Amino acid sequence: MAEEGASGFQIHPMDQFIVKPLFGGDHIAWYTVTNVTLWMAIAVVAIAAMLMLGTRRRAIVPSRSQSVAELIYGFVYNMVEEVTGREGVKYFPYVLTLFLFILFSNLLGLLPAAFTTTSHIAVTIVLAMLVFLGVTILGFVKHGIGFLGMFWVSSAPLVIRPILAVIEVISYFVRPVSHSIRLAGNLMAGHAVIKVIAGFATLVVASPVVIGAVTALYGLELLVACVQAYVFTILTCVYLRDAVGDVHH
Amino acid sequence: MEGELAQMGKYIGAGLAAFGLGGAGIGVGNIAGNFLAGALRNPSAAAGQTATLFVGIAFAEALGIFSFLIALLLMFAV
Amino acid sequence: MATEVLDAAAAAHEAGHTAETSSGMPQLDITTWDNQIFWLLVSLVAIYLIVTRVAVPRIGAVLAERRGTITNDLAAAEELKLQASEAETAYNKALAAARAEASKIIAAARADIEADLAKATAKADAEIEAKTAVSEKRIAEIREGALESVTEVAKDTAKELVSVLGGKADARSINAAVAARLKG
């Protein structure tokens, strides 16, 4: 009895994040085709389908699929233009790439039995480091050594400026950490919570409640998937503004 | 026995780390509430500030996610 | 009983251990990171190529074209509106001209009629004047004639009366007497 109860509640919320080779074998080398590969490929194919099939006819009056592509294009374009200014529009394709990848990975991860690539810190840290390194290099290329002026808050009293500079430097280097962990953590938490709640469905009495709760959480996760893609992108724009805009803010 | 004690400590620590999420919840609610209050006073300016709202929410939420991460690390990785 | 519980605890512990070794927290399994990062970079490059080679030029062109079309349409509409307002002013001008013409014609006609009327009136007045003059002359003549007749009759009567009474009267004295009587 006790054994049954113990095994009945063996919920493994983290099992869904295991990286597995698709075609057998245990060893995962850097080139092994895994479920990560599969779901990233699906994301790429979905993005390609949305961007290429919908806009195939190049209609002045857009079809439904074309207006979806145009909507996302316009959404990201306006975001880049609004947050970074006219200077930042040059980097719009990079931002759009990040946004599309994150949005599609998040949404595809919500399919049952799917693998959520963006819930892995390895993935998000690369995305965040791309932004961080790109922005830092761009800042030094654009402003030279003057880019360091960003850490020297000239509007503050002289006495506390060094302290502020230390804080600014620390917060600058925490950026990629929070940028990546926010995305991975949100998705991991959401999927793990759904899994934990769904695990209680083995208890017959609780199962109706579980169905309702999982449905509600699923709706919430749908929102989180979109909002996190939006947040990642807009933070990218905010960081980009530091590099391309006026450094003394 | 010692392993079980360590396990217990891990679980207690994970539970304590989950408190941090409450702080994040308070922070996010505070931001959203203040945004709503401001938006109701001046609805015409609200549309232009949604980006700021989301950035603020993201910053507040990140710290809660950190404590969630600590809880996960205690549960599964330590 | 006790052993059962212990066994369960041991089993749970065992299960936890195997789970930890097999999964634990898969995100922190460093051995899979190189694989994930490699495929992530491949995917990002693929998406970037799709975005820059196909999507951005295509959608950008469509949006620009649409903006151009809309601008053109708006300009055409503006032009049409201008034309319409021009036509309206022209119409108004024509209407005003027609109205002015009409009132001129009316004034001319009225002036004509008035002139005719005045002429006719003058003619009628002149005729009436002439007729009145003729009539007055006739009346004067008749009156004169009547007076003469009265004098004649009075003279004749007086001669007759004188002769009947046995007198012999000369014409001169009778005339004088009649004229004096008539005057008196």
mmCIF file of all heavy atoms in Angstrom, chain C residues 64-81:
data_model
loop_
_atom_site.group_PDB
_atom_site.id
_atom_site.type_symbol
_atom_site.label_atom_id
_atom_site.label_comp_id
_atom_site.label_asym_id
_atom_site.label_seq_id
_atom_site.Cartn_x
_atom_site.Cartn_y
_atom_site.Cartn_z
ATOM 1 N N ALA C 64 6.206 49.062 -48.403
ATOM 2 C CA ALA C 64 6.518 50.321 -49.088
ATOM 3 C C ALA C 64 5.556 50.549 -50.247
ATOM 4 O O ALA C 64 5.058 51.657 -50.456
ATOM 5 C CB ALA C 64 7.963 50.284 -49.590
ATOM 6 N N GLU C 65 5.304 49.452 -50.989
ATOM 7 C CA GLU C 65 4.400 49.564 -52.134
ATOM 8 C C GLU C 65 3.008 49.978 -51.670
ATOM 9 O O GLU C 65 2.360 50.832 -52.276
ATOM 10 C CB GLU C 65 4.332 48.211 -52.827
ATOM 11 C CG GLU C 65 3.888 48.292 -54.273
ATOM 12 C CD GLU C 65 3.898 46.906 -54.901
ATOM 13 O OE1 GLU C 65 4.696 46.066 -54.462
ATOM 14 O OE2 GLU C 65 3.087 46.679 -55.792
ATOM 15 N N ARG C 66 2.599 49.331 -50.560
ATOM 16 C CA ARG C 66 1.263 49.665 -50.053
ATOM 17 C C ARG C 66 1.205 51.118 -49.629
ATOM 18 O O ARG C 66 0.253 51.832 -49.915
ATOM 19 C CB ARG C 66 0.922 48.752 -48.871
ATOM 20 C CG ARG C 66 -0.471 49.012 -48.348
ATOM 21 C CD ARG C 66 -0.866 48.005 -47.307
ATOM 22 N NE ARG C 66 -0.640 46.649 -47.762
ATOM 23 C CZ ARG C 66 -0.297 45.657 -46.978
ATOM 24 N NH1 ARG C 66 -0.136 45.875 -45.694
ATOM 25 N NH2 ARG C 66 -0.121 44.451 -47.437
ATOM 26 N N ARG C 67 2.279 51.542 -48.940
ATOM 27 C CA ARG C 67 2.311 52.938 -48.503
ATOM 28 C C ARG C 67 2.234 53.858 -49.726
ATOM 29 O O ARG C 67 1.518 54.852 -49.731
ATOM 30 C CB ARG C 67 3.580 53.207 -47.698
ATOM 31 C CG ARG C 67 3.414 54.339 -46.715
ATOM 32 C CD ARG C 67 4.612 54.420 -45.773
ATOM 33 N NE ARG C 67 4.801 53.226 -44.997
ATOM 34 C CZ ARG C 67 5.972 52.594 -44.841
ATOM 35 N NH1 ARG C 67 7.044 53.050 -45.432
ATOM 36 N NH2 ARG C 67 6.057 51.512 -44.115
ATOM 37 N N GLY C 68 3.015 53.467 -50.780
ATOM 38 C CA GLY C 68 2.989 54.260 -52.006
ATOM 39 C C GLY C 68 1.612 54.298 -52.617
ATOM 40 O O GLY C 68 1.107 55.362 -52.993
ATOM 41 N N THR C 69 0.976 53.113 -52.694
ATOM 42 C CA THR C 69 -0.365 53.045 -53.265
ATOM 43 C C THR C 69 -1.328 53.912 -52.478
ATOM 44 O O THR C 69 -2.116 54.669 -53.048
ATOM 45 C CB THR C 69 -0.855 51.591 -53.246
ATOM 46 O OG1 THR C 69 0.149 50.773 -53.807
ATOM 47 C CG2 THR C 69 -2.144 51.445 -54.023
ATOM 48 N N ILE C 70 -1.226 53.815 -51.174
ATOM 49 C CA ILE C 70 -2.154 54.582 -50.343
ATOM 50 C C ILE C 70 -1.915 56.069 -50.555
ATOM 51 O O ILE C 70 -2.845 56.859 -50.729
ATOM 52 C CB ILE C 70 -1.993 54.189 -48.857
ATOM 53 C CG1 ILE C 70 -2.546 52.790 -48.649
ATOM 54 C CG2 ILE C 70 -2.701 55.170 -47.958
ATOM 55 C CD1 ILE C 70 -2.266 52.221 -47.290
ATOM 56 N N THR C 71 -0.616 56.443 -50.591
ATOM 57 C CA THR C 71 -0.303 57.861 -50.798
ATOM 58 C C THR C 71 -0.842 58.324 -52.139
ATOM 59 O O THR C 71 -1.448 59.404 -52.243
ATOM 60 C CB THR C 71 1.222 58.066 -50.752
ATOM 61 O OG1 THR C 71 1.740 57.304 -49.676
ATOM 62 C CG2 THR C 71 1.572 59.510 -50.566
ATOM 63 N N ASN C 72 -0.613 57.480 -53.186
ATOM 64 C CA ASN C 72 -1.101 57.846 -54.513
ATOM 65 C C ASN C 72 -2.616 57.999 -54.522
ATOM 66 O O ASN C 72 -3.155 58.966 -55.062
ATOM 67 C CB ASN C 72 -0.708 56.772 -55.525
ATOM 68 C CG ASN C 72 0.748 56.911 -55.921
ATOM 69 O OD1 ASN C 72 1.371 57.930 -55.613
ATOM 70 N ND2 ASN C 72 1.268 55.909 -56.570
ATOM 71 N N ASP C 73 -3.262 57.005 -53.920
ATOM 72 C CA ASP C 73 -4.725 57.053 -53.888
ATOM 73 C C ASP C 73 -5.201 58.311 -53.179
ATOM 74 O O ASP C 73 -6.135 58.975 -53.628
ATOM 75 C CB ASP C 73 -5.281 55.813 -53.182
ATOM 76 C CG ASP C 73 -5.179 54.586 -54.065
ATOM 77 O OD1 ASP C 73 -4.675 54.739 -55.191
ATOM 78 O OD2 ASP C 73 -5.593 53.502 -53.633
ATOM 79 N N LEU C 74 -4.518 58.615 -52.076
ATOM 80 C CA LEU C 74 -4.919 59.812 -51.339
ATOM 81 C C LEU C 74 -4.714 61.050 -52.193
ATOM 82 O O LEU C 74 -5.550 61.952 -52.225
ATOM 83 C CB LEU C 74 -4.105 59.926 -50.049
ATOM 84 C CG LEU C 74 -4.540 59.001 -48.921
ATOM 85 C CD1 LEU C 74 -3.692 59.253 -47.693
ATOM 86 C CD2 LEU C 74 -6.003 59.238 -48.583
ATOM 87 N N ALA C 75 -3.569 61.069 -52.923
ATOM 88 C CA ALA C 75 -3.299 62.223 -53.782
ATOM 89 C C ALA C 75 -4.365 62.329 -54.867
ATOM 90 O O ALA C 75 -4.874 63.426 -55.153
ATOM 91 C CB ALA C 75 -1.913 62.078 -54.403
ATOM 92 N N ALA C 76 -4.707 61.159 -55.470
ATOM 93 C CA ALA C 76 -5.738 61.161 -56.513
ATOM 94 C C ALA C 76 -7.060 61.656 -55.951
ATOM 95 O O ALA C 76 -7.751 62.480 -56.568
ATOM 96 C CB ALA C 76 -5.888 59.747 -57.073
ATOM 97 N N ALA C 77 -7.370 61.180 -54.750
ATOM 98 C CA ALA C 77 -8.620 61.600 -54.123
ATOM 99 C C ALA C 77 -8.608 63.099 -53.880
ATOM 100 O O ALA C 77 -9.597 63.801 -54.120
ATOM 101 C CB ALA C 77 -8.810 60.853 -52.809
ATOM 102 N N GLU C 78 -7.440 63.571 -53.439
ATOM 103 C CA GLU C 78 -7.295 65.007 -53.171
ATOM 104 C C GLU C 78 -7.538 65.800 -54.461
ATOM 105 O O GLU C 78 -8.254 66.806 -54.473
ATOM 106 C CB GLU C 78 -5.876 65.251 -52.663
ATOM 107 C CG GLU C 78 -5.681 66.605 -52.018
ATOM 108 C CD GLU C 78 -6.461 66.762 -50.726
ATOM 109 O OE1 GLU C 78 -6.725 65.744 -50.045
ATOM 110 O OE2 GLU C 78 -6.832 67.887 -50.417
ATOM 111 N N GLU C 79 -6.934 65.275 -55.554
ATOM 112 C CA GLU C 79 -7.073 65.950 -56.844
ATOM 113 C C GLU C 79 -8.541 65.973 -57.283
ATOM 114 O O GLU C 79 -9.058 67.008 -57.721
ATOM 115 C CB GLU C 79 -6.239 65.207 -57.873
ATOM 116 C CG GLU C 79 -5.811 66.071 -59.030
ATOM 117 C CD GLU C 79 -4.738 65.378 -59.845
ATOM 118 O OE1 GLU C 79 -3.763 64.910 -59.233
ATOM 119 O OE2 GLU C 79 -4.914 65.260 -61.059
ATOM 120 N N LEU C 80 -9.183 64.807 -57.128
ATOM 121 C CA LEU C 80 -10.592 64.721 -57.509
ATOM 122 C C LEU C 80 -11.422 65.702 -56.700
ATOM 123 O O LEU C 80 -12.316 66.369 -57.219
ATOM 124 C CB LEU C 80 -11.115 63.301 -57.295
ATOM 125 C CG LEU C 80 -10.653 62.297 -58.353
ATOM 126 C CD1 LEU C 80 -11.155 60.912 -58.007
ATOM 127 C CD2 LEU C 80 -11.187 62.704 -59.723
ATOM 128 N N LYS C 81 -11.072 65.788 -55.425
ATOM 129 C CA LYS C 81 -11.801 66.689 -54.563
ATOM 130 C C LYS C 81 -11.622 68.128 -55.046
ATOM 131 O O LYS C 81 -12.569 68.920 -55.105
ATOM 132 C CB LYS C 81 -11.247 66.549 -53.138
ATOM 133 C CG LYS C 81 -12.194 67.058 -52.074
ATOM 134 C CD LYS C 81 -11.623 66.734 -50.713
ATOM 135 C CE LYS C 81 -12.017 67.779 -49.713
ATOM 136 N NZ LYS C 81 -11.168 67.693 -48.518
#
